[in-house]
Structures are given as structure tokens and as C-alpha cells.
């Protein structure tokens, strides 16, 4: 039916049959028309939303477009059709972008400057950096007149209250994956500080710009706009900022042990337009006990890989001890060049003498482990290359050569489980992926992780048993002692129903010029096991995702568009009569 967006105290909401309009009602503004508005108005020319609309009403765009009646009805506190309502929300998003784009960008800089990665031996909630970011978010919430709660420094809750009992949970996270600072170098040699936003062209480089401090920022400013404009909401929003999304994942469950679970949940930590399926997250951790080296020749004493199981690094470095370092470096350099040439040529293998040792480096392309196809995995190539040297270069056998043999025999350079014979695929969700990622060493053990992303089609129990049977048989056959730890989670698949997901899909696809269809993701978010959980951006599926990579960045234009989209979404979802 019809209802007014503002000044509803004296207006009765008649909502019984509005749902009939929501699937077909369009917002009347194309991305091209949005661009015209952005060029016409700027932050200096707008004071509040009503003044923004009044200014816009005088432009040729408003006069030649169907938005003029919507603006007139809104400014006159009259009832709006569903289509006019959507147009006003589209304009609300544009207003937020114009009014607060610069301030939001500065806030992103401030959050990125706080290095919120996991520190070994320190619980996340005891890490001073998380206390620091909590204080920063609290100060912002207070300044925006929003309610803030710090739940034992595990989850930061920011509330925007509406008139009804329903709650929509907006999920983002403050933690980031670790960095290898020396790898943050652009192709032209420019060195970057991972914890300082560096603007080069339209790119804002910095850890967390893409994953996921941008999500925190755009949500806060969207809430600010709705609050200060006193826009009526039929339900409540809670922004839940997770602190362990990249690590243990125990903060959100902790929060829900002490607080009610929202009936509707969306993560600003995935892909546009609306993602209704997430692969299950899994790990095959191989543990090789450290043992004395056997045989003659050089010995590999260390090796690096990803700093987390969900991170494919840009480089892997192995250290070899030898009494003939110059000769060994030359031999490995030649063998490495041949290996790279015969295995795609899209990575490099180099060797050089450093302090009497030989540093062997495989340089690939870093990627989030949910998208192994977007990178070139140097960990897999390092291990396969080391294994290929057997019989060609004199190497002592130890736990690292054991790991190399294990990796080469069972996983190889394939990231689809084909080498092990466990691959499968779902028509909608895509294939199982298997990426060699994390490498860890301590006094007793060399650890090597394979990160799994599991679609529907095979239960976690069946897949785990299948992998375990094959690896146990290999261990017995090869006589390589290795202990395995397995974890495989269920994939998430939602049957998209309800007006709220239709509205989400409309908001994202219209603003981005995308096909109007639901998506799937290999990345698991904090809504994976929550009711009505979906992803709503903030990554574009056609662009390479830079979260977890060296030189992570977000473009300024996309960040501002995210602010616009999230503001429109909150206004629209907040006012739907029924979700």
C-alpha cells in the first residue's frame, strides 16, 4: 500500500498488501543517473537529507525522471507508493555517500592503523589492539548517537533501534589476517606499510581495507544517517563486530550464549549481490615429527608458507645448509628455472647465498584460500619442487623432505583434490578446493595444512573418511610417519524466501548493474550457522578479492558505493512491513 518515510507520528501505516509491490517495484535510478547526481551535488552543498532532496528536485534529472513525484510526496510528508519509497531510499544512499564519504574514508584509515591480527600466546580479547579498536568504535557510536556494548571484548555491538521487536543482525569483523611486511611491495618497487592506508590512484592499500574494516565503517555511517535524519524503522538493527572471524571463530558463539540471536542475519564480509550458499571450511593438518637428517648433501632446515590456514602467500622460502653454498645456489637456480618453465611459467624459483646458507624462494601470487584459482600457490610449488630434486641434487632426508613427498604425492599443484582422487563439484556451489597453505614449525613438529572448501554433495563425514583412508594408505605405503588432524564443516545453503532477500537482491543488483540472481561463495562468514544468514557484499564477484593477500586494497569508488548501498539497504529493509 502506501506509507510515509518520515514524520509518522500522525500517520497510520497501512501495510497489509505492500508485499505485492516489493518484487516488481524499481528504484527508478540507474547507475548512470546516480553518477549524474554525484557530479551535480557535493558534501559542501548538502546539509541534511531534506535539503539534499530539495536541491535535487530543482535539477533537470529530477524533472525528467519519475523521482520528482517521490521527492514531492516525501517533502510534503505524504504517503508514498512502494516504488516511490524505493526511490527515496536510493537517494538516501546517495546522500550518505555525498555527505559522509570523506569522513568514512578517514575512519577507515584510523581502523586500518590498528593492527588487529592474532598474536601467538595472547587471547584475542586480551590483546591491547582489540581494546584500542573497541574504544575507537565506541567513540564513533557515541558521536553518532548509537548504543554501544562491548561484550567482554569479544563482540562489539552497535544498535539502531526501531519500533518493532524484530532484529536484523549486520555482521562484520575487526580482526585481520597476519602480514609479511617485506612482501608488501608494488611492481614498481613502491613499499607499502600494511597498517597505513596508502592511496595510489583509486586504490586504498592496507590490511583490512577489503576484509573487513570497510564493513564496520560503512555500517556505522549508514546507521548514523538513519539516526540523525530520524527515519522511521519498523525493526531494529544490531551491528555485531566479531573479533575472531579469521581465527578461532568463537567470539560470535560466545555472544549468542549471552544474548538473543537475531532472526535475520547478513554478513558484509563476502560477495555481492546476495550470497545464499557458502562452502564448508575444512583443514587437513599433517604433523611431521622433527627427526635427525639422514644421508649426505645439503639439509633443508626451515620453510615458510602462509601465516594462517586461509591464506595463500605470495612467496615460500626454504633455507638450506651446505658446505658448498655457491655451487648449490647455482644448481638450484637452474633446476628451479626448468621446473617453473615446465609447470606453467607463471611463478619463479630463485636461489641465492645468504650468510653461508642458501635461500630458496618460490614466488607466486597471493590469494584468499577460498579462491585458489585467483592466485599461484608458492607453498605447493616449493614442496613439489623439493620433492622433484630427489636423485638430482644431494639432499639429506628429514621431516621437511617427508612433508615435500607427502604434498607432491597426494596434493601436487592441483587445488581440486584430483591428485588424491577426492574431487567433486556441485552445479551451483562449484568444486571442492584443496589448497596447501599454512606452514608451521616448533621444537617438535613441522606442520603443513591443506585448506578445504567443501560444497554440498558429499557429507563432511564421508569426505573426511575418504581423505583419511587414502592418506593412511599412503603413509603405510611410503613408510613416512605423519599424524593427521581433520576438521570439515557443513556447507551452508539457504532457500531464498521472503521480502527481505528480494529487497537485498534488488538494492545490490540495481546499484551494481549486476544480473538479478543469487550467488554462492567459497568463503565462510560468521552467518554460516545463523538463521536466515546471507552475504551482502562487499566484494564484487567479477573482481579479484584482495583480502588475505599482500598489497590488499579497496578502491575509493567501490568503498563509497558500498556506503551508498548499505545505507539504502538499511533504510529499505528497516521499513519493509514484513521480512
Amino acid at each position: 500500500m502506501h506509507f510515509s518515510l518520515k514524520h509518522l507520528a500522525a500517520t497510520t501505516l497501512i501495510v497489509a498488501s505492500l508485499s505485492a509491490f516489493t518484487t516488481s517495484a524499481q528504484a527508478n535510478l540507474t547507475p548512470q543517473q546516480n553518477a549524474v547526481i554525484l557530479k551535480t551535488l557535493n558534501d559542501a552543498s548538502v546539509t541534511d537529507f531534506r535539503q539534499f532532496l530539495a536541491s535535487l528536485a530543482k535539477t533537470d534529472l529530477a524533472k525528467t525522471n519519475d523521482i520528482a513525484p517521490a521527492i514531492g510526496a516525501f517533502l510534503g510528508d505524504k504517503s508514498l507508493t512502494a516504488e516511490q519509497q524505493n526511490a527515496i531510499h536510493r537517494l538516501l544512499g546517495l546522500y550518505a555517500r555525498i555527505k559522509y564519504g570523506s569522513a568514512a574514508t578517514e575512519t577507515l584509515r584510523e581502523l586500518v592503523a590498528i593492527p588487529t591480527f592474532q598474536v601467538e600466546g595472547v587471547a584475542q580479547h586480551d590483546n591491547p589492539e582489540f581494546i584500542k579498536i573497541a574504544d575507537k568504535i565506541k567513540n564513533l557510536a557515541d558521536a553518532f548517537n548509537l548504543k554501544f556494548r562491548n561484550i567482554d571484548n569479544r563482540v562489539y555491538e552497535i544498535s539502531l533501534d526501531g519500533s518493532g521487536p524484530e532484529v536484523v543482525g549486520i555482521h562484520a569483523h575487526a580482526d585481520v589476517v597476519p602480514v609479511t611486511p617485506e612482501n608488501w611491495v608494488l611492481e614498481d618497487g613502491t613499499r607499502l606499510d600494511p597498517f597505513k592506508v596508502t592511496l595510489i590512484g583509486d586504490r586504498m592499500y592496507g590490511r583490512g581495507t577489503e576484509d573487513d574494516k570497510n564493513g564496520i565503517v560503512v555500517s556505522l555511517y549508514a546507521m548514523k544517517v538513519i539516526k540523525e535524519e530520524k527515519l522511521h524503522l519498523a525493526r531494529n538493527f544490531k551491528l555485531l563486530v566479531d573479533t575472531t572471524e579469521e581465527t578461532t571463530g568463537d567470539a560470535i558463539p560466545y555472544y549468542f550464549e549471552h544474548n538473543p540471536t537475531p532472526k535475520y542475519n547478513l554478513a558484509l564480509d563476502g560477495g555481492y549481490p546476495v550470497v545464499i550458499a557458502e562452502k564448508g571450511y575444512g583443514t587437513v593438518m599433517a604433523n611431521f615429527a622433527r627427526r635427525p637428517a639422514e644421508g649426505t648433501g645439503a639439509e633443508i632446515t626451515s620453510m615458510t608458507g602462509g601465516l594462517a590456514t586461509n591464506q595463500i602467500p605470495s612467496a615460500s622460502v626454504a633455507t638450506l645448509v651446505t658446505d658448498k653454498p655457491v655451487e648449490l645456489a647455482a644448481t638450484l637456480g637452474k633446476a628451479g628455472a626448468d621446473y617453473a618453465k615446465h609447470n606453467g611459467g607463471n611463478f619463479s624459483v630463485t636461489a641465492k647465498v645468504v650468510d653461508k646458507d642458501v635461500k630458496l624462494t618460490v614466488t607466486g601470487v597471493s590469494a584468499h584460500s577460498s579462491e585458489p584459482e585467483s592466485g599461484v600457490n608458492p607453498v605447493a610449488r616449493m614442496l613439489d619442487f623439493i620433492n622433484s630434486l630427489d636423485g638430482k641434487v644431494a639432499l639429506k632426508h628429514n621431516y621437511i623432505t617427508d612433508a615435500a613427498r607427502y604434498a607432491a604425492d597426494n596434493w601436487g599443484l592441483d587445488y581440486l583434490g584430483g591428485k588424491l582422487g577426492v574431487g567433486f563439484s556441485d552445479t551451483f556451489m562449484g568444486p571442492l578446493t584443496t589448497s596447501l597453505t599454512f606452514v608451521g614449525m616448533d621444537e617438535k613438529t613441522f606442520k603443513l595444512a591443506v585448506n578445504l572448501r567443501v560444497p554440498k554433495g558429499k557429507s563432511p563425514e564421508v569426505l573426511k573418511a575418504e581423505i583419511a583412508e587414502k592418506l593412511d594408505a599412503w603413509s603405510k605405503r611410503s613408510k613416512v610417519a605423519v599424524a593427521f588432524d581433520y576438521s570439515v564443516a557443513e556447507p551452508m545453503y539457504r532457500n531464498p524466501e521472503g521480502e527481505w532477500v528480494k529487497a537485498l537482491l534488488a538494492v545490490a543488483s540495481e546499484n551494481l548493474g549486476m544480473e538479478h540472481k543469487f550467488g554462492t561463495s567459497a568463503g565462510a562468514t560468521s552467518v554460516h550457522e545463523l538463521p536466515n544468514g546471507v552475504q551482502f557484499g562487499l566484494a564484487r564477484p567479477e573482481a579479484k578479492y584482495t583480502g588475505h593477500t599482500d598489497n590488499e586494497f579497496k578502491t575509493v569508488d567501490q568503498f563509497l558505493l558500498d556506503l551508498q548501498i548499505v545505507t539504502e539497504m538499511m533504510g529499505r529493509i528497516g521499513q519493509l512491513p514484513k521480512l
Side-chain angles (χ1 to χ4, degrees):
M1 298 297 290
H2 306 277
F3 63 106
S4 173
L5 186 69
K6 199 171 179 183
H7 300 297
L8 290 176
T11 306
T12 303
L13 243 70
I14 304 172
V15 299
S17 61
L18 180 62
S19 59
F21 292 92
T22 54
T23 55
S24 59
Q26 299 299 310
N28 294 328
L29 287 168
T30 65
Q32 293 75 22
Q33 291 168 324
N34 289 352
V36 172
I37 293 172
L38 292 170
K39 285 183 179 179
T40 305
L41 301 170
N42 57 63
D43 58 350
S45 67
V46 298
T47 55
D48 59 31
F49 186 45
R50 294 176 76 86
Q51 182 266 330
F52 166 77
L53 291 178
S55 298
L56 185 59
K58 298 172 186 175
T59 65
D60 290 340
L61 176 63
K63 293 171 184 174
T64 58
N65 188 280
D66 289 342
I67 63 172
I71 293 175
F74 177 82
L75 293 177
D77 298 326
K78 305 257 194 297
S79 296
L80 280 71
T81 66
E83 190 167 291
Q84 290 174 332
Q85 187 76 47
N86 293 344
I88 292 298
H89 285 131
R90 177 65 45 82
L91 294 171
L92 180 70
L94 285 161
Y95 164 75
R97 177 175 178 170
I98 291 169
K99 177 73 173 174
Y100 291 113
S102 295
T105 304
E106 181 56 32
T107 298
L108 180 63
R109 288 179 180 275
E110 293 170 358
L111 296 192
V112 168
I114 304 172
T116 47
F117 56 83
Q118 186 179 43
V119 176
E120 190 174 349
V122 180
Q124 212 88 310
H125 54 272
D126 291 330
N127 184 332
E129 300 299 343
F130 284 90
I131 296 168
K132 189 183 297 183
I133 204 167
D135 289 342
K136 179 64 185 174
I137 293 171
K138 179 185 186 303
N139 291 339
L140 285 164
D142 290 346
F144 296 173
N145 202 20
L146 302 168
K147 294 179 183 176
F148 175 89
R149 291 172 64 222
N150 184 339
I151 291 78
D152 299 331
N153 212 42
R154 288 169 168 84
V155 173
Y156 317 130
E157 175 198 272
I158 301 92
S159 301
L160 177 63
D161 294 338
S163 60
E166 274 182 329
V167 176
V168 177
I170 309 290
H171 296 258
H173 62 89
D175 61 323
V176 296
V177 293
V179 299
T180 304
E182 57 267 28
N183 291 346
W184 283 61
V185 184
L186 300 181
E187 288 185 4
D188 66 0
T190 301
R191 302 198 69 84
L192 302 172
D193 181 343
F195 296 105
K196 178 183 178 183
V197 171
T198 302
L199 180 63
I200 298 178
D202 191 44
R203 294 181 175 186
M204 296 185 289
Y205 290 96
R207 178 61 90 220
T209 52
E210 173 108 281
D211 186 20
D212 179 42
K213 291 177 178 177
N214 57 329
I216 301 171
V217 175
V218 297
S219 300
L220 282 169
Y221 278 88
M223 291 172 132
K224 170 183 171 64
V225 167
I226 292 170
K227 180 74 174 183
E228 70 187 8
E229 295 299 326
K230 300 180 175 62
L231 303 184
H232 176 271
L233 295 174
R235 55 194 51 82
N236 312 288
F237 286 99
K238 287 190 185 297
L239 170 60
L240 302 176
V241 180
D242 189 356
T243 60
T244 63
E245 198 275 344
E246 301 290 10
T247 53
T248 59
D250 58 2
I252 285 291
Y254 180 92
Y255 172 87
F256 290 126
E257 286 173 11
H258 302 82
N259 297 276
T261 304
K263 188 176 178 182
Y264 302 91
N265 294 275
L266 56 95
L268 306 183
D269 184 29
Y272 283 123
V274 182
V275 171
I276 59 168
E278 294 180 351
K279 290 180 179 178
Y281 190 100
T283 306
V284 178
M285 185 68 80
N287 303 280
F288 299 87
R290 294 181 71 148
R291 64 183 180 87
E294 299 173 351
T296 59
E299 182 180 3
I300 305 171
T301 57
S302 69
M303 177 185 160
T304 66
L307 298 175
T309 58
N310 54 9
Q311 181 187 46
I312 295 172
S314 60
S316 176
V317 180
T319 302
L320 294 91
V321 176
T322 176
D323 55 2
K324 298 178 180 178
V326 175
E327 183 180 315
L328 178 63
T331 302
L332 289 176
K334 184 178 184 306
D338 290 342
Y339 176 82
K341 180 180 177 181
H342 289 97
N343 287 280
N346 55 353
F347 63 99
S348 66
V349 183
T350 59
K352 64 179 181 179
V353 179
V354 179
D355 296 331
K356 297 183 181 180
D357 295 335
V358 175
K359 295 289 183 183
L360 175 66
T361 302
V362 177
T363 304
V365 178
S366 61
H368 194 296
S369 66
S370 65
E371 296 184 345
E373 70 280 2
S374 72
V376 180
N377 190 334
V379 179
R381 284 157 179 77
M382 173 66 84
L383 292 162
D384 191 62
F385 175 60
I386 288 171
N387 191 67
S388 75
L389 296 174
D390 194 34
K392 300 175 185 174
V393 176
L395 288 179
K396 292 179 181 177
H397 289 285
N398 65 4
Y399 47 92
I400 296 179
T401 59
D402 289 345
R405 183 177 175 189
Y406 153 75
D409 285 357
N410 296 293
W411 306 105
L413 306 188
D414 165 51
Y415 54 77
L416 298 172
K419 185 91 172 178
L420 193 62
V422 296
F424 71 101
S425 186
D426 175 72
T427 306
F428 178 59
M429 296 183 72
L432 167 76
T433 61
T434 58
S435 302
L436 285 152
T437 53
F438 173 77
V439 173
M441 289 178 65
D442 57 30
E443 297 80 15
K444 295 182 178 180
T445 313
F446 180 86
K447 295 177 178 288
L448 179 60
V450 173
N451 182 234
L452 310 176
R453 303 290 172 140
V454 187
K456 62 187 178 75
K458 193 178 285 187
S459 75
E461 293 74 20
V462 168
L463 178 62
K464 189 160 62 173
E466 204 174 294
I467 294 173
E469 181 183 1
K470 290 176 180 290
L471 293 182
D472 287 345
W474 173 85
S475 183
K476 288 174 184 172
R477 197 167 58 246
S478 65
K479 296 183 172 54
V480 173
V482 54
F484 293 104
D485 296 315
Y486 300 95
S487 66
V488 185
E490 287 276 0
M492 175 193 98
Y493 180 78
R494 310 288 189 219
N495 183 18
E497 295 178 341
E499 300 308 317
W500 84 296
V501 287
K502 295 174 187 174
L504 288 174
L505 189 58
V507 170
S509 59
E510 289 165 14
N511 276 295
L512 295 165
M514 292 178 65
E515 195 173 347
H516 197 85
K517 67 178 185 179
F518 294 105
T520 181
S521 170
T525 66
S526 53
V527 303
H528 195 87
E529 297 179 5
L530 297 181
N532 296 301
V534 297
Q535 295 177 16
F536 185 71
L538 298 168
R540 301 183 71 131
E542 76 275 15
K544 180 185 174 180
Y545 187 67
T546 65
H548 296 209
T549 69
D550 300 327
N551 307 336
E552 176 182 349
F553 70 85
K554 186 85 176 180
T555 67
V556 174
D557 184 66
Q558 186 59 50
F559 175 69
L560 297 177
L561 185 53
D562 293 338
L563 171 60
Q564 174 186 326
I565 289 171
V566 171
T567 305
E568 177 183 344
M569 176 274 293
M570 281 198 194
R572 190 158 165 178
I573 296 299
Q575 295 208 316
L576 281 175
K578 181 182 178 182
L579 297 185

